[in-house]
Amino acid sequence: MAGNETDDTIPIGDELLAERRAGPGSRMPDDMHPAARSIIHGIDTMSEWVGRIVALLVVPIMFAMVYEVIARKFFVAPTLWAFDISRMLYGMSFMLGAAYALMHGLHIRADFLYRNFEVKTQGRVDLVLYIVLFMPAMIFLLIAGYDFALKSVMQGERAGDSTWAPVVWPVKVSLAVGVALLLVQGVSEILKSWYAATRGRWPS
Amino acid sequence: MAPEIIGFLMIGAMLFAIFIGFPISFTLIFLGIVFGAWGFGMKLTIFLMTLQFYGSMMEQTLAAVPLFVFMGFMMEQAGLMERLFKAVQLMLARMTGSLFVAVLFVSVVFGAATGIVGASVTILGIMAAKTMSESGYDVRLAAGTITAGGTLGILIPPSIMLVVMGPVLEVPVTDLFAGAILPGVMMAVLYLVYALGRCWLNPKLGPPLRDDQIPDSRSHVWREFILGLVPPTILIAFAMGSILFGWATPTEGAGMGALGSVLLTIGYRKFTWKRTYDALLKTLEISVLILFLVAASNFFGAVFSRLGTPGMITDWLLALDLSPSLIIIMILAMVFILGWPLEWVPIVLIILPILQPVLVEMNVNMTWFAILVAVCLQTAWLSPPVALSAYFLKGVAPDWDLKDIYYGMMQFMTVQIFGLTLVFLFPWLALWLPGYLYGN
Amino acid sequence: DAATKIQVQSVIPNTADEVVMLQDFADDVKALTNGEVEFEILPAGAVVGVQEILDAVDAGLIDGGFAWTHYWSGKHPAAMLFGSPVAGAGIGIDNIAFMSWYLNAGGKELYDQLWKEMGVNVKGFMLQPVGPEALGWFKEPIETMADFRKYRFRTPPGIPGQTYKDIGVASVAMGGGDILPALEKGTIDAAEWCCPKPDSVFGFQKVLKHYYLQGLHQVVVNADLYINGDVYNSLTPLQQKAIEVAANASLMKAMAYRINENGKALDKLINEDGVILHDTPAEYFTEYMAAANAALEKNAAENAFFKQVWDSQKAFARTAVPYWAQAQRTNANLGAAYAETLKKQ
Ligand code: NA
Ligand code: NA
């Protein structure tokens, strides 16, 4: 494909992620089963709100880093907390935001074959893989993640590799919660794939 | 079946499964679970998965990713980066491929400031892809330049990879940093020569501006150039300068850059709460895309290592009775091939320590060897299908066909091998600067 | 019949000195068991990350792990009293005295108890006493504590690092990988890592020239082997005994190895790399000791098992340390007298 073809133009900006799908605001089609419609709406709304809140975590990370630089450089008064705060908030944000990203279709696919499939085929592929591959993997990760987080909470576990040594269970709990959110979002995606597999078009 | 063989089957399955088109992260997680459970049991596999995810969540250096991405979006929303690239293009209006010069220049600046490939590729993609497309640049060459330029970050110091490699090979990290500078700059020059050479042969790949797009007034060009160059320069000075002048670690510098981008949009009267919140949401989206994939591929790599396949391949290599040069060529070939399915972390931590004693015994200069491995490992970022840079770029330039991105990267893999050959034939490329700075 | 193979993941690359000593221990066990028990040593990151080793051993993901026990202070504060009791537990215990407490004054029983308190299915063996660690590397010499407080100092994790903050040092928390670039560029002015050999492998001498050996944050440091409880219980009593005997032998062998290796490394640092060795300001010892004691008191008040271990160490120290301090003075004077004669040559 030559680069000077017009269809190679990239509208970055608001359409930055072309594959992105609309959020819960978009209306599900009328020929979808009402129960499916309300389940999808409920789940998507939850993931959307979690994402909208979690997106704010970059702000405290940013200020923690700037504070640390200024305090250390100009006042020889480094903090012990900036290092831990930044990595904990960063880790929590990407795990808790994973379901939001799944809803918006942001997890990258190697899709140069998939993209050329009929929508019905795409729907069937997704339906089968969400049930056979995604859901079991997330269930296992949730089980392990739950034990992992529980143990940490019970121990009141603190970071062993930093001077400040904060409690780390918030991060481990976020791991489990993030996976739980992914699992729930998977239900919504299964219903959307089911619709695409039977009706031949994506619901949104 | 021996676990080592299961490891080979796992790689084979991955090469097939990824192309079904299901999200790559979840495909990798699933394959890791299946083959891990087969090789060493379900209970341990899922436990390994939680450990790997938690480890990725607590990696402070990766906190630079959302910060740099946010900085990129703020600049992009204010239209400042586009203006920079437009300005360079205007200045070099009659030159074919001028945007390649701009991309590689920014790559080197970025590489010198960070050690994170994800952030570099993403930010270059955000900044340059739109302008390149609108200017009718060849998608493959553009994608290749951006991804290859982005990988310079792990070669040009500071580099997380060299920091990990130093203790493993018992070479001071400072020597590795010094040793990597010339090869890093050389690679950037080679990329540039390649991109411009292709344009010279076929100007359609990076067309210069048409006559009617070039303003008559030279002073207007200069004005645009300065106005386009100054804001990003201030910002880069703010972020990168804080790192380069030793005020900040790379992650802290990323925070400085993020705040700087907010201040700059305020200064340019482009700041609105809504725009900033949109930038935060998009930052979350891109960060999840990158970091969830990092966690998933760490898990996949951990299962592969645990199956013992990399160790077995190394043992084979050592069983052959060859000269030092041949052994090094074999090792580099193996690193190159393992770079296909793996990222650099398992390669550096599992294979190099096994080989280190043999190489020391053969009196191989370890600084030189480390730089060879580092240049070779850059290809791990450029070799599909587990080539995270491709997916990072695809994330921010969704209209670019992944296939074209792959083709673009593979062209630059060839350039990379050429550069690797130069460092192999002329060891002073890696050894002169550390010797000059630190003696012997 | 086939040998039992125990895979052990360490927290450092396989080329590190600690792994060399660990391999020596593994060879002893193999010989003592007629080849029935073999340890396979995996490098850092082979299966799990450094911070996850104990969890992984507990779950049986790996058969064994190798680390410094204070790495697990986050799981139980008393781990610090075994791995690196800050400022010699605040009661003057050096690494040799610590071994006396461990082998002869009830330390080992409390050590076994630690894993139960932590709730992990692990059998631990102390293998390598490697203290005292150095105070660290400085951009400029420090004559007084006021000088020390002028510098941004990368400190070790947990209480030993917090104690620097408590005495007013600009203590910086930083990942291991960031240290050297940060020193090179002046983001920080000073840092600690370990001891002459590992420090010179790390490469500090290329960026900083002022080295202080006398420090208190990790004056006692012990590296340990952890074996999954089920794996350990599956061994015969004779095999278990062989591991114990080899572990006890390793305590002495490690000390022997480290004196020789660190000595050679320090000699090279001073005579070839232009490093200048200084004495630590005297006030450092009193200030750091006082702050460490406060931190230890606080932990003892909050945690019953911590108090139990510390009380045991105190009971030991009350009689042992005054004797050992005197004896050590003989040793120090003896060594100093010889070092003087070297200078005159
Ligand atoms: Na870099
Ligand atoms: Na690759």
Side-chain angles (χ1 to χ4, degrees):
Chain A
M1 189 192 305
N4 48 8
E5 287 170 27
T6 47
D7 62 356
D8 273 335
T9 320
I10 316 170
I12 295 192
D14 283 344
E15 286 75 40
L16 180 82
L17 298 145
E19 279 174 285
R20 70 175 309 178
R21 301 201 300 261
S26 67
R27 210 178 128 67
M28 288 292 127
D30 290 333
D31 59 345
M32 184 182 265
H33 192 284
R37 214 158 47 194
S38 53
I39 291 172
I40 291 174
H41 182 76
I43 292 173
D44 287 8
T45 306
M46 179 177 71
S47 295
E48 178 74 17
W49 275 102
V50 172
R52 287 185 163 270
I53 294 164
V54 166
L56 296 171
L57 289 177
V58 176
V59 178
I61 300 176
M62 177 176 82
F63 282 111
M65 293 291 87
V66 173
Y67 182 92
E68 171 70 12
V69 172
I70 293 172
R72 190 179 57 219
K73 174 69 196 169
F74 298 103
F75 302 96
V76 198
T79 73
L80 292 182
W81 49 264
F83 175 85
D84 286 298
I85 288 286
S86 59
R87 63 176 180 164
M88 289 172 79
L89 292 181
Y90 129 85
M92 290 163 77
S93 75
F94 90 80
M95 265 323 279
L96 292 172
Y100 171 89
L102 184 64
M103 173 184 64
H104 285 294
L106 295 165
H107 290 282
I108 291 291
R109 300 166 182 258
D111 65 345
F112 49 83
L113 299 174
Y114 176 92
R115 192 157 30 122
N116 299 320
F117 294 164
E118 299 273 325
V119 171
K120 273 194 178 182
T121 314
Q122 286 183 351
R124 284 187 196 127
V125 167
D126 272 11
L127 181 64
V128 170
L129 293 181
Y130 269 115
I131 293 172
V132 174
L133 182 155
F134 180 88
M135 296 303 265
M138 289 303 118
I139 289 170
F140 283 126
L141 186 51
L142 181 61
I143 294 169
Y146 174 79
D147 289 343
F148 193 57
L150 187 68
K151 187 157 195 173
S152 181
V153 172
M154 303 302 283
Q155 280 177 338
E157 185 186 5
R158 293 176 170 275
D161 59 345
S162 81
T163 311
W164 194 44
V167 288
V168 293
W169 58 259
V171 179
K172 294 192 172 179
V173 170
S174 304
L175 169 56
V177 171
V179 175
L181 290 170
L182 273 172
L183 192 61
V184 173
Q185 187 60 44
V187 173
S188 168
E189 299 308 311
I190 286 173
L191 292 173
K192 289 175 199 164
S193 312
W194 173 263
Y195 181 87
T198 50
R199 309 286 166 138
R201 59 179 189 279
W202 286 102
S204 62
Chain B
M1 188 179 294
E4 291 87 349
I5 307 298
I6 295 175
F8 281 114
L9 295 178
M10 174 166 147
I11 298 300
M14 186 261 301
L15 294 177
F16 165 78
I18 273 186
F19 297 113
I20 297 173
F22 201 66
I24 293 167
S25 309
F26 300 110
T27 309
L28 290 177
I29 292 172
F30 177 75
L31 292 175
I33 292 178
V34 169
F35 286 90
W38 185 9
F40 47 87
M42 179 57 95
K43 180 172 166 261
L44 302 185
T45 305
I46 56 174
F47 191 72
L48 185 57
M49 183 160 56
T50 54
L51 291 187
Q52 287 295 330
F53 268 77
Y54 175 66
S56 306
M57 289 172 80
M58 289 290 272
E59 180 54 59
Q60 203 252 354
T61 48
L62 289 176
V65 172
L67 294 170
F68 275 130
V69 170
F70 177 66
M71 169 177 137
F73 276 119
M74 287 304 284
M75 297 298 282
E76 191 271 328
Q77 295 219 340
L80 294 172
M81 276 303 163
E82 199 190 332
R83 201 164 171 183
L84 165 71
F85 278 84
K86 283 259 161 70
V88 174
Q89 198 184 17
L90 213 54
M91 196 67 194
L92 305 171
R94 295 185 195 282
M95 175 183 177
T96 50
S98 58
L99 285 175
F100 293 127
V101 182
V103 165
L104 288 169
F105 173 73
V106 176
S107 301
V108 172
V109 173
F110 237 87
T114 75
I116 295 150
V117 170
S120 305
V121 171
T122 315
I123 212 163
L124 284 167
I126 293 169
M127 290 183 336
K130 182 182 181 182
T131 317
M132 286 179 134
S133 271
E134 283 175 357
S135 310
Y137 273 56
D138 177 59
V139 173
R140 291 178 182 178
L141 199 56
T145 313
I146 291 174
T147 47
T151 62
L152 284 175
I154 56 160
L155 187 61
I156 297 177
S159 146
I160 297 167
M161 185 169 79
L162 295 177
V163 167
V164 173
M165 218 189 262
V168 168
L169 294 177
E170 291 195 346
V171 182
V173 177
T174 36
D175 284 17
L176 294 188
F177 277 7
I181 290 175
L182 269 186
V185 173
M186 180 191 78
M187 287 318 304
V189 172
L190 288 178
Y191 297 156
L192 188 67
V193 168
Y194 177 77
L196 293 184
R198 290 281 313 274
C199 292
W200 183 65
L201 292 173
N202 178 6
K204 280 185 186 157
L205 297 179
L209 289 182
R210 291 189 309 275
D211 279 345
D212 59 299
Q213 290 171 313
I214 302 173
D216 295 329
S217 146
R218 203 62 202 160
S219 62
H220 173 73
V221 170
W222 273 105
R223 192 171 163 274
E224 272 305 300
F225 185 69
I226 288 163
L227 285 180
L229 198 66
V230 168
T233 308
I234 291 172
L235 184 67
I236 287 178
F238 204 62
M240 313 304 154
S242 68
I243 302 171
L244 295 174
F245 297 128
W247 294 16
T249 63
T251 309
E252 291 162 358
M256 298 287 279
L259 183 68
S261 70
V262 176
L263 296 179
L264 211 56
T265 49
I266 293 172
Y268 272 71
R269 297 171 193 279
K270 300 258 188 177
F271 179 88
T272 67
W273 289 106
K274 187 179 174 313
R275 270 200 196 135
T276 308
Y277 187 66
D278 281 352
L280 284 172
L281 265 187
K282 283 180 192 160
T283 301
L284 177 72
E285 292 170 356
I286 297 299
S287 306
V288 170
L289 180 163
I290 294 177
L291 298 166
F292 198 82
L293 190 54
V294 166
S297 56
N298 280 348
F299 165 60
F300 184 84
V303 171
F304 183 63
S305 310
R306 163 78 196 184
L307 288 169
T309 320
M312 186 177 75
I313 298 170
T314 313
D315 288 344
W316 281 348
L317 189 70
L318 291 182
L320 306 168
D321 190 22
L322 301 167
S323 75
S325 300
L326 268 178
I327 286 275
I328 289 176
I329 290 173
M330 296 279 296
I331 291 171
L332 292 175
M334 186 177 73
V335 168
F336 181 79
I337 289 165
L338 284 174
W340 238 286
L342 293 179
E343 290 305 336
W344 61 269
V345 180
I347 300 178
V348 165
L349 283 174
I350 290 147
I351 294 162
L352 294 190
I354 303 174
L355 297 168
Q356 194 259 357
V358 184
L359 292 165
V360 169
E361 204 156 300
M362 293 189 300
N363 282 322
V364 173
N365 182 306
M366 294 310 277
T367 305
W368 174 59
F369 175 73
I371 300 300
L372 281 174
V373 172
V375 174
C376 193
L377 272 176
Q378 256 190 292
T379 60
W381 294 89
L382 297 174
S383 51
V386 183
L388 297 187
S389 353
Y391 308 123
F392 301 158
L393 182 58
K394 174 75 181 162
V396 291
D399 283 6
W400 281 4
D401 195 328
L402 196 56
K403 197 173 61 192
D404 284 327
I405 297 178
Y406 281 177
Y407 275 122
M409 293 196 311
M410 286 193 282
Q411 296 172 29
F412 281 81
M413 273 177 76
T414 320
V415 181
Q416 195 76 31
I417 292 169
F418 179 70
L420 183 64
T421 311
L422 289 180
V423 180
F424 182 81
L425 294 177
F426 308 107
W428 60 264
L429 281 168
L431 297 177
W432 176 77
L433 196 56
Y436 177 78
L437 289 177
Y438 304 120
N440 58 69
Chain C
D1 55 346
T4 307
K5 201 170 199 181
I6 300 177
Q7 282 192 323
V8 175
Q9 190 195 308
S10 81
V11 291
I12 36 183
N14 268 359
T15 43
D17 273 1
E18 286 84 352
V19 179
V20 174
M21 295 186 272
L22 179 61
Q23 187 61 54
D24 187 42
F25 157 82
D27 294 344
D28 281 350
V29 173
K30 191 176 172 189
L32 285 169
T33 59
N34 255 330
E36 287 169 14
V37 177
E38 262 187 67
F39 287 95
E40 185 194 352
I41 296 154
L42 307 173
V47 183
V48 290
V50 164
Q51 287 300 313
E52 286 96 46
I53 283 191
L54 192 67
D55 284 333
V57 175
D58 173 39
L61 178 57
I62 37 179
D63 306 327
F66 176 82
W68 295 270
T69 287
H70 60 266
Y71 273 38
W72 322 120
S73 300
K75 296 184 183 296
H76 197 298
M80 185 261 280
L81 289 176
F82 295 96
S84 72
V86 62
I91 47 176
I93 297 178
D94 71 4
N95 224 141
I96 297 176
F98 182 91
M99 281 302 132
S100 170
W101 170 73
Y102 174 70
L103 292 171
N104 221 288
K108 203 166 194 174
E109 291 69 29
L110 291 166
Y111 178 74
D112 288 338
Q113 180 69 21
L114 171 70
W115 310 112
K116 297 195 185 81
E117 296 286 330
M118 219 180 263
V120 291
N121 181 22
V122 158
K123 171 72 184 169
F125 291 96
M126 222 171 255
L127 291 189
Q128 298 169 10
V130 295
E133 293 198 357
L135 175 67
W137 297 80
F138 290 77
K139 196 166 71 178
E140 303 284 342
I142 48 171
E143 305 284 339
T144 61
M145 281 308 289
D147 286 346
F148 196 169
R149 291 191 188 95
K150 273 188 270 179
Y151 295 118
R152 288 158 286 219
F153 180 51
R154 190 269 173 186
T155 47
I159 291 174
Q162 288 166 15
T163 304
Y164 279 108
K165 181 100 182 163
D166 294 342
I167 60 170
V169 169
S171 163
V172 178
M174 186 173 273
D178 279 332
I179 299 175
L180 217 52
L183 281 173
E184 254 190 320
K185 290 180 179 156
T187 314
I188 54 175
D189 316 296
E192 67 79 39
W193 188 246
C194 178
C195 328
K197 175 86 182 283
D199 284 4
S200 53
V201 170
F202 199 96
F204 286 106
Q205 68 277 18
K206 307 272 170 139
V207 281
L208 300 175
K209 294 294 180 194
H210 300 281
Y211 194 27
Y212 288 75
L213 277 182
Q214 305 140 12
L216 287 182
H217 53 257
Q218 281 163 339
V219 69
V220 177
V221 185
N222 302 298
D224 303 6
L225 170 73
Y226 319 108
I227 303 177
N228 174 274
D230 297 340
V231 171
Y232 182 73
N233 289 330
S234 73
L235 301 174
T236 67
L238 204 64
Q239 291 168 341
Q240 292 178 349
K241 191 71 191 170
I243 294 177
E244 190 194 322
V245 168
N248 286 341
S250 170
L251 296 173
M252 189 64 229
K253 282 181 161 187
M255 225 174 292
Y257 183 86
R258 295 287 286 224
I259 290 174
N260 194 10
E261 290 295 315
N262 279 321
K264 285 190 275 189
L266 184 65
D267 185 68
K268 184 176 177 297
L269 284 174
I270 293 172
N271 293 318
E272 291 177 33
D273 302 327
V275 170
I276 304 160
L277 195 63
H278 298 274
D279 283 330
T280 303
E283 47 188 327
Y284 162 82
F285 294 93
T286 48
E287 285 189 28
Y288 191 90
M289 185 93 114
N293 254 310
L296 289 161
E297 294 283 4
K298 182 166 166 287
N299 273 277
E302 283 168 3
N303 187 291
F305 182 66
F306 189 99
K307 184 172 184 318
Q308 193 187 343
V309 176
W310 198 34
D311 283 347
S312 166
Q313 291 179 337
K314 279 194 220 171
F316 162 79
R318 205 182 61 77
T319 50
V321 168
Y323 157 69
W324 187 236
Q326 284 299 325
Q328 283 292 70
R329 191 163 292 174
T330 311
N331 293 341
N333 289 339
L334 170 71
Y338 174 66
E340 275 308 307
T341 65
L342 281 182
K343 277 184 198 159
K344 284 176 193 146
Q345 280 169 17

